[in-house]
Amino acid sequence: MKDQRDARVATGADWIIPILGAVFATYYLISIKDLDWEAKVSGVFCAVVLFLLIGIFALRTVIGLARGTHYVEWRSLYESRKLGSVRATLFLLTVASVAAIPYAGFTLSTFGYLFLCFLVLQKMPPRRAALIAGSLALFGFVLFILILRTAFPQGPFERLFFALTGL
């Protein structure tokens, strides 16, 4: 009987996220030239770790292809209609969320994105989805805006919060 570990491993579709991560890290490294040195150090550290992990993954893939334990195929991207529609929905929700940030602000756009993902993709009850999405959005607000002072665009929630608290 053939062991499961002896089966050939498909590669190809699993390169999409590493490629997008490398593109984003490169963009981030280019865009941080005017930031404080702390942000530059953090960005360079994260990018170096990411590029190192991508390099290890690439080496593993190349060795697997050379040994014949891996093969290139893209079918897993579209192997079923249901999976394709879930991926398309997630992509569209992500694009809409990023487009909404300048208008809705970080907190409301994060809440909307998570709420819709939980509701549509996870089929959560609306009350539970709202509670979890709200908790995570508030945590993100406290961490990124209040503690780390990240310069996300302010939306109605942030403006109201700062007006009421005087911060």
Side-chain angles (χ1 to χ4, degrees), residues 45-78:
F45 175 76
C46 289
V48 166
V49 170
L50 181 64
F51 288 132
L52 179 67
L53 291 172
I54 292 171
I56 293 169
F57 184 63
L59 183 63
R60 179 179 155 255
T61 302
V62 168
I63 291 171
L65 289 170
R67 289 183 177 167
T69 60
H70 289 61
Y71 65 98
V72 177
E73 68 97 21
W74 297 91
R75 195 170 353 138
S76 62
L77 279 176
Y78 51 88

Side-chain angles (χ1 to χ4, degrees), residues 97-125:
S97 173
V98 170
I101 289 175
Y103 308 102
F106 171 79
T107 310
L108 288 179
S109 63
T110 301
F111 170 78
Y113 174 73
L114 292 173
F115 178 72
L116 289 173
C117 284
F118 292 149
L119 206 62
V120 175
L121 300 174
Q122 289 294 315
K123 310 281 192 264
M124 257 186 212

Side-chain angles (χ1 to χ4, degrees), residues 101-106 145 151-160 162 167:
I101 289 175
Y103 308 102
F106 171 79
I145 295 176
F152 284 114
Q154 289 189 3
F157 178 83
E158 290 85 2
R159 286 193 292 276
L160 178 64
F162 290 125
L167 293 176

